[in-house]
Amino acid sequence: MAATEIVAVLDAGPLIHLDQLGRLNLLEDFKELLVPKAVLDEALRHRPGIKLTALSNVEIITESPPLPADLLKLADELALHAGERAALAVIKARGGQFLLSDDAAARSVALAVGFQTHGTIGLILRSNRRGQISKSEMLELLRELPVKTTLHLQKKFLAGIIAKAETEAS
Amino acid sequence: MKTLTIDCPDHLHEQLARLVEAGWFKAPEEGVLEALRRYLSGHSVELQEQQIMADVEWGLHGRD
């Protein structure tokens, strides 16, 4: 399946969690994936063996642009980490469409300045919608989240998502 | 009210001291509490779950 025209900027969360699931390949369905060096460093601290080179659409941004003043204020107020700040700076400077992050505060900042944000769960569901994985594979990945990953969710909340996906996914 | 004892890295302590000196807080402890309040308000479970549910809709029914 052809990749979409979407340029996405990655924060460490989805990178770490998809790697923990052994499914980094789900990120191949974007035209470009921009990964700030600070994000890669954070991901490598958690997953030293992570292999981004396996993805053909990745560009590592070694020098992140400065964060504009409006974003800097929000980032300070919400105590964002270096990787999250770098990801926001890159999406603002490069004009990406999506910020891929599992951090509620980073996503709030991105939303506040008009960017779409999505996280690991959205990416797993999307990969089924886009035909990258079957419905049963998608449901299996959702069930594996609390076992294999460090994405912390309340059991009841995740069960609701799995039930919804079982009913509504094709 | 609980009392917490923490080890604060030097560089954070220096930044905190500068804010106290500039009059933002009466004492370093007040600055730590404010930072914690702001962190918790941005990282609440409710906010995370709200964002994930929006993501679920996109993942299942989005167009991109």
Side-chain angles (χ1 to χ4, degrees), chain A residues 14-111:
Chain A
L15 197 51
I16 293 166
H17 301 139
L18 289 175
D19 188 55
Q20 288 169 330
L21 291 169
R23 286 295 192 160
L24 270 186
N25 65 310
L26 300 187
L27 293 169
E28 284 183 324
D29 193 32
F30 293 102
K31 182 184 172 193
E32 279 183 77
L33 269 182
L34 307 178
V35 184
K37 176 78 167 40
V39 168
L40 180 59
D41 290 344
E42 188 182 337
L44 284 169
R45 275 198 296 278
H46 293 270
R47 304 284 296 170
I50 202 165
K51 285 194 171 53
L52 272 188
T53 46
L55 300 173
S56 57
N57 56 347
V58 165
E59 180 185 346
I60 309 291
I61 312 290
T62 49
E63 284 189 30
S64 290
L67 206 54
D70 54 339
L71 284 181
L72 186 61
K73 190 166 179 284
L74 283 169
D76 284 344
E77 283 187 4
L78 293 172
L80 298 191
H81 296 160
E84 295 152 4
R85 288 167 186 256
L88 285 164
V90 167
I91 197 170
K92 186 81 174 170
R94 293 282 294 263
Q97 283 88 33
F98 290 177
L99 174 71
L100 304 178
S101 173
D102 287 320
D103 184 89
R107 292 177 66 160
S108 297
V109 174
L111 283 168

Side-chain angles (χ1 to χ4, degrees), chain A residues 6 77-79 98 103-105 107-108 116 118-119 121-122 125-126 129 152-154 157 161 164 168-169, chain B residues 35 38-39 41-45 47-64:
Chain A
I6 294 166
E77 283 187 4
L78 293 172
F98 290 177
D103 184 89
R107 292 177 66 160
S108 297
Q116 279 195 58
H118 302 292
I121 290 179
L125 298 177
R126 175 185 186 264
R129 169 166 59 79
H152 302 295
L153 300 166
Q154 297 190 67
F157 180 68
I161 292 171
K164 187 175 171 66
E168 298 180 23
Chain B
R38 285 173 184 254
Y39 183 87
S41 73
H43 295 75
S44 73
V45 172
L47 178 65
Q48 185 199 29
E49 292 186 350
Q50 195 180 41
Q51 290 175 348
I52 290 174
M53 285 319 293
D55 219 15
V56 167
E57 286 301 324
W58 169 76
L60 288 170
H61 307 297
R63 292 184 177 180
D64 43 29

